[in-house]
Amino acid sequence: MDAIDKVRILVVGDSGVGKSSLVHLICHNEAAVNPGWTIGCSLEVKLHEYKEGTPDQKTFFLELWDIGGSSSHKNTRAMFYHNANGLILVHDLTNRKSHGNLKQWLNEILDQDKEMGMGRGPSRVRDTLDPENLLGSVKMPILVIGTKQDLAGEKRVQRSFVAEDLGVDDISLNCHNPRSLAPGSGLAVKLTRFFDRIIESRYYRDMNPNPALLEKRRLLPMNVMNAKSLHGD
Amino acid sequence: MSFLQDAVIMFSSQVIFFAGGWVFFMKQLFKNYEVHHIMVQLIFSITFALSCTMFELIIFEILGTMESSSRYFHWRLGLYSMLFMVIIVLPFYIAYFVLSSLRFVQRKQIGPLTLVSWVAFLYFFWKIGDPFPISSPKHGVLSIEQFISRIGVIGVTVMAFLSGFGAVNYPYTSMTYFMRPVTINDIIAIEKKLLHTYDMILIKKKRIAMAQRDQLLRSKSGSSGSGIWGMLRSVATNPLVSSGENISQLKEEVAALEDFSRQLLLEAVDMHSMRERIEWAKTFRGKYFNVMGYFFSLYCLWKIFICTINILFGRVARVDPVTRGIEIAVHYMGFQIDVKFWSQQISFFLVGCIVVTSIRGLLITLTKFFYAISSSKSSNVIVLALAQIMGMYFVSSVVLMRMNMPAEYRTIITQVLGELQFNFYHRWFDVIFLISALSSIGFLYLAHKQVPGDREIS
């Protein structure tokens, strides 16, 4: 077991959007039965095959950190954010405000990440976000997931504008349907690609500089700056 | 002509209050939720507007604005509408939303079931009046006094409960005497413990995942073997124990660790909040609140004492504080003042203060309560329940406010609300205030005592 490497993925979003159901679906391939409010952080692991079906196939552990979103626990959440390799932003398709709040979540995590990276300790001083520094912190891949698709009706087709700003992928699903992530379905493929990207950015980044990846990184400051200016309105 | 003028004034002020309630709903209560049923927002804003109208009419009574006949008319109109909201509309919608969210109720059954629940509510509402001496045989069965008296009982209970708790809680949270010292090392220590617990949970879950995968692989390869070798292989390897791992035992350990992690996290949240309070206490506002806390605790003790005396000796305050204050000023200190003018000004000021602080206090309490207990599924029901409490609260504060006003201004309340046993309500307020304050002291004492014991050990 010690021989298998791991990556840490944070799952964040407002309280009640369905993060615990989502994580349970990803890891156990079945719908969660009545999860209660998450206090603190609920942890799940999944064995993932990186580059399945190719000669480079390797097994990794995905650690999914499902962080409870209630506002009363805000002051202790900071300790979960360091050393994260990937980020899943979850919002509720029936509640537009949970989508708008994703930007605040992202800023909360990026501020914390930047402070930890600068070695500033537990002080809460916030500088203006410098795009150069931001590039260093935003190296982790991000995925936006919309839940409760069965209750949302006609909104399911809309693409998430937060995902567009950040230039990342965006999927919508119904966490109570165990077949939405059946192997081979479109959603499962997107998810697998996302996990592979995380593993690449963590372990293979220096070894294989992918020109397409570099292109995306050069574009990233502009997209992130758009997100920052929209948030500042 | 002046009636029309007065009607225009009242109507425009009601529109302003309605807009205020609407904005409060959107910006504060439903900050994180999307509004699916506009009816909920409408009902809440209407209840808020009607409550503010009642207070406005009391202030107009003191200042003598508008004709007294039109005031009387608007009083009765406002009161009837408020009763309609609190007794008919709100319980009906609360029952409707509760039933819609239950899983085992079908769509067709919701309508009739709502009616049945509403009738049941009316029955219990009526029954509340029985143990209390609030109705006299003079009242008709469907007179306004019957309804107001029952609303008054519920509302006064809520008011007294909140005042009692608030009076005790305010000194407790603002005085530094009660703040436990929390250093940054304590916080770092508990965070390290928490992360360590999470690491242990992860290790165990990884072992479970590996064991499950091995099991899966073995069962796949085992089924392909046939005949004697297959049987021998399946006998030799026990499916429950794979390479020394016992999955069910691991799952139990994980569950225990998860419970422990939740406890640790709640402690960590507590420590962070305590640290923030200590930081805040060092600021100017914090110091000011600290000093006020001492005064307030004295006031609270005095009030508990007075309530006990009132209850034991059956004392009833006949004279309101404004007239009492003016009497003292004139007779004992020999001031020569225009009693009528000053009595009006001071009553206006006092009543205005009471109205503003009670509205503000209630809205803040409602917001805190709402954030604490609501989720996206139950937000509608909770907001309607809060609107119901708000309506009852404001009606009873009108009933109780009568005590704070001089006799000449009380007439309109007595006229409109009828012959209620006002003294009963004051007595009831005292009783509930006493119970609430004493139990809050008990609870806070227990809560405060519990934690330092742990800290000393660590």
Side-chain angles (χ1 to χ4, degrees):
Chain A
M1 193 203 69
D2 291 330
I4 303 184
D5 288 320
K6 62 177 169 71
V7 286
R8 185 197 276 210
I9 307 177
L10 298 178
V11 180
V12 294
D14 275 356
S15 173
V17 296
K19 301 183 289 292
S20 304
S21 304
L22 175 70
V23 165
H24 194 89
L25 180 63
I26 293 178
C27 294
H28 300 280
N29 285 323
E30 62 182 14
V33 187
N34 238 355
W37 279 13
T38 314
I39 298 184
C41 181
S42 158
L43 302 165
E44 295 282 352
V45 298
K46 180 175 163 75
L47 281 164
H48 177 74
E49 300 293 337
Y50 170 62
K51 287 206 172 150
E52 192 160 13
T54 68
D56 292 333
Q57 176 169 342
K58 190 167 180 238
T59 314
F60 283 90
F61 262 127
L62 301 175
E63 292 176 6
L64 289 159
W65 290 58
D66 159 25
I67 299 179
S70 49
S71 46
S72 49
H73 296 329
K74 186 171 172 152
N75 46 18
T76 43
R77 278 204 291 259
M79 72 168 131
F80 298 124
Y81 294 154
H82 60 273
N83 287 341
N85 305 119
L87 182 60
I88 298 183
L89 296 169
V90 186
H91 69 280
D92 184 349
L93 287 169
T94 61
N95 180 359
R96 200 161 298 160
K97 298 209 176 135
S98 68
H99 186 71
N101 285 342
L102 288 180
K103 289 221 181 83
Q104 288 171 20
W105 279 104
L106 194 59
N107 283 322
E108 191 181 318
I109 295 178
L110 290 183
D111 274 341
Q112 206 47 46
D113 207 27
K114 188 171 78 81
E115 279 174 25
M116 286 302 181
M118 298 264 206
R120 208 171 292 190
S123 74
R124 301 272 184 261
V125 176
R126 286 175 182 216
D127 295 325
T128 51
L129 292 177
D130 185 358
E132 239 81 282
N133 286 332
L134 207 49
L135 175 59
S137 327
V138 166
K139 59 183 180 288
M140 52 183 176
I142 302 177
L143 179 68
V144 175
I145 298 188
T147 54
K148 307 195 192 171
Q149 192 189 34
D150 49 326
L151 300 172
E154 71 281 355
K155 288 190 213 151
R156 343 147 48 139
V157 210
Q158 269 180 9
R159 181 151 153 76
S160 145
F161 59 84
V162 170
E164 279 187 28
D165 284 341
L166 297 170
V168 296
D169 260 340
D170 151 53
I171 66 184
S172 309
L173 54 80
N174 170 15
C175 295
H176 287 270
N177 181 4
R179 297 238 291 253
S180 27
L181 286 183
S185 66
L187 297 180
V189 165
K190 271 193 182 173
L191 213 53
T192 317
R193 266 208 327 244
F194 173 65
F195 292 145
D196 282 349
R197 238 190 357 249
I198 297 179
I199 295 174
E200 257 170 32
S201 81
R202 170 82 174 85
Y203 291 105
Y204 297 104
R205 185 176 29 152
D206 309 312
M207 286 162 51
N208 191 11
N210 192 347
L213 219 58
L214 283 178
E215 190 72 39
K216 204 170 182 176
R217 259 203 224 150
R218 222 179 296 132
L219 285 175
L220 205 49
M222 289 204 310
N223 287 338
V224 168
M225 274 181 72
N226 283 340
K228 184 178 83 98
S229 59
L230 272 175
H231 176 73
D233 282 346
Chain B
M1 199 58 220
S2 66
F3 179 76
L4 205 59
Q5 222 177 358
D6 294 338
V8 166
I9 296 177
M10 285 309 299
F11 185 68
S12 45
S13 57
Q14 275 170 346
V15 165
I16 295 178
F17 293 138
F18 181 83
W22 188 273
V23 165
F24 172 73
F25 186 92
M26 288 302 296
K27 295 285 175 192
Q28 282 277 75
L29 285 183
F30 264 46
K31 202 166 56 163
N32 289 327
Y33 303 117
E34 203 178 316
V35 180
H36 291 291
H37 297 101
I38 203 90
M39 210 49 204
V40 172
Q41 200 173 6
L42 215 64
I43 293 178
F44 184 87
S45 312
I46 291 179
T47 313
F48 182 74
L50 285 175
S51 318
C52 293
T53 313
M54 286 196 306
F55 287 132
E56 193 193 14
L57 282 169
I58 293 184
I59 293 189
F60 281 172
E61 178 73 23
I62 295 178
L63 289 180
T65 340
M66 301 195 335
E67 296 286 316
S68 91
S69 56
S70 51
R71 276 202 302 259
Y72 184 70
F73 169 76
H74 283 287
W75 250 116
R76 288 203 85 91
L77 182 65
L79 208 53
Y80 277 123
S81 332
M82 187 59 136
L83 283 182
F84 177 69
M85 294 297 296
V86 168
I87 297 181
I88 299 183
V89 175
L90 274 168
F92 186 79
Y93 271 101
I94 290 179
Y96 174 73
F97 280 114
V98 167
L99 289 172
S100 322
S101 65
L102 289 178
R103 259 168 283 184
F104 46 81
V105 174
Q106 289 130 8
R107 285 211 66 94
K108 293 190 295 254
Q109 293 172 340
I110 291 186
L113 273 181
T114 317
L115 272 179
V116 168
S117 340
W118 181 67
V119 170
F121 164 80
L122 274 185
Y123 175 74
F124 284 117
F125 181 71
W126 202 260
K127 278 289 170 201
I128 283 184
D130 286 347
F132 300 112
I134 48 182
S135 56
S136 55
K138 282 190 283 180
H139 301 156
V141 173
L142 271 187
S143 66
I144 203 172
E145 286 90 1
Q146 299 278 17
F147 295 111
I148 301 260
S149 55
R150 285 165 173 80
I151 291 181
V153 169
I154 301 177
V156 165
T157 312
V158 171
M159 266 182 89
F161 181 74
L162 288 179
S163 316
F165 180 71
V168 172
N169 195 40
Y170 177 79
Y172 181 74
T173 49
S174 55
M175 279 164 57
T176 47
Y177 178 72
F178 294 116
M179 296 187 188
R180 298 190 304 273
V182 172
T183 63
I184 197 148
N185 290 328
D186 297 327
I187 295 188
I188 293 181
I190 202 170
E191 286 189 355
K192 262 203 326 217
K193 238 197 300 192
L194 195 52
L195 286 174
H196 178 68
T197 314
Y198 283 138
D199 281 334
M200 282 182 13
I201 293 178
L202 278 174
I203 292 176
K204 292 211 164 29
K205 285 211 165 168
K206 285 178 190 170
R207 276 161 64 179
I208 293 178
M210 297 283 290
Q212 280 172 338
R213 190 178 72 159
D214 286 342
Q215 214 178 35
L216 206 61
L217 287 176
R218 198 168 309 118
S219 70
K220 271 197 214 156
S221 61
S223 59
S224 61
S226 58
I228 301 190
W229 288 120
M231 279 197 316
L232 281 180
R233 213 181 297 143
S234 64
V235 161
T237 59
N238 187 349
L240 275 183
V241 181
S242 49
S243 61
E245 308 277 27
N246 186 345
I247 294 188
S248 49
Q249 189 190 348
L250 279 176
K251 284 191 176 168
E252 272 175 25
E253 290 173 8
V254 163
L257 279 176
E258 281 177 341
D259 275 338
F260 183 59
S261 75
R262 266 175 240 138
Q263 262 183 334
L264 277 183
L265 185 104
L266 290 177
E267 234 185 87
V269 169
D270 219 16
M271 282 186 164
H272 270 278
S273 332
M274 187 55 75
R275 187 106 207 292
E276 280 165 10
R277 265 171 58 185
I278 292 180
E279 296 291 316
W280 173 80
K282 294 184 189 149
T283 65
F284 279 128
R285 272 189 79 192
K287 290 196 177 122
Y288 167 74
F289 272 65
N290 184 29
V291 169
M292 295 307 290
Y294 281 105
F295 283 124
F296 224 91
S297 42
L298 284 175
Y299 165 77
C300 177
L301 285 173
W302 178 78
K303 196 128 176 46
I304 292 181
F305 179 66
I306 289 285
C307 281
T308 326
I309 301 270
N310 279 347
I311 294 173
L312 287 179
F313 296 123
R315 237 176 41 143
V316 173
R318 289 245 166 249
V319 186
D320 61 287
V322 181
T323 319
R324 167 80 55 85
I326 293 186
E327 266 176 23
I328 295 179
V330 167
H331 289 152
Y332 295 111
M333 300 191 204
F335 287 148
Q336 295 294 332
I337 49 181
D338 181 3
V339 175
K340 203 160 154 35
F341 173 72
W342 279 109
S343 132
Q344 186 185 36
Q345 293 300 312
I346 296 179
S347 320
F348 165 69
F349 185 66
L350 185 68
V351 168
C353 273
I354 293 179
V355 163
V356 169
T357 48
S358 70
I359 292 183
R360 183 175 169 275
L362 185 74
L363 288 182
I364 290 179
T365 312
L366 287 187
T367 317
K368 266 198 273 201
F369 211 64
F370 186 72
Y371 284 162
I373 60 177
S374 75
S375 69
S376 49
K377 280 194 290 202
S378 61
S379 55
N380 285 326
V381 173
I382 293 182
V383 127
L384 286 179
L386 292 182
Q388 172 113 24
I389 293 181
M390 180 172 74
M392 293 189 171
Y393 183 98
F394 284 137
V395 166
S396 7
S397 40
V398 165
V399 169
L400 287 183
M401 198 178 297
R402 190 179 154 276
M403 181 187 81
N404 285 324
M405 307 192 323
E408 60 260 31
Y409 305 124
R410 290 185 192 179
T411 49
I412 193 166
I413 298 187
T414 327
Q415 257 184 341
V416 176
L417 293 185
E419 301 278 323
L420 290 184
Q421 309 275 44
F422 290 105
N423 296 332
F424 162 74
Y425 290 107
H426 294 307
R427 184 55 28 83
W428 184 245
F429 183 94
D430 286 340
V431 168
I432 300 286
F433 179 87
L434 202 59
I435 296 178
S436 162
L438 290 178
S439 13
S440 316
I441 291 181
F443 278 132
L444 287 177
Y445 178 74
L446 285 176
H448 191 77
K449 262 285 174 224
Q450 247 184 11
V451 189
D454 291 355
R455 302 251 3 270
E456 278 157 29
I457 293 176
S458 66

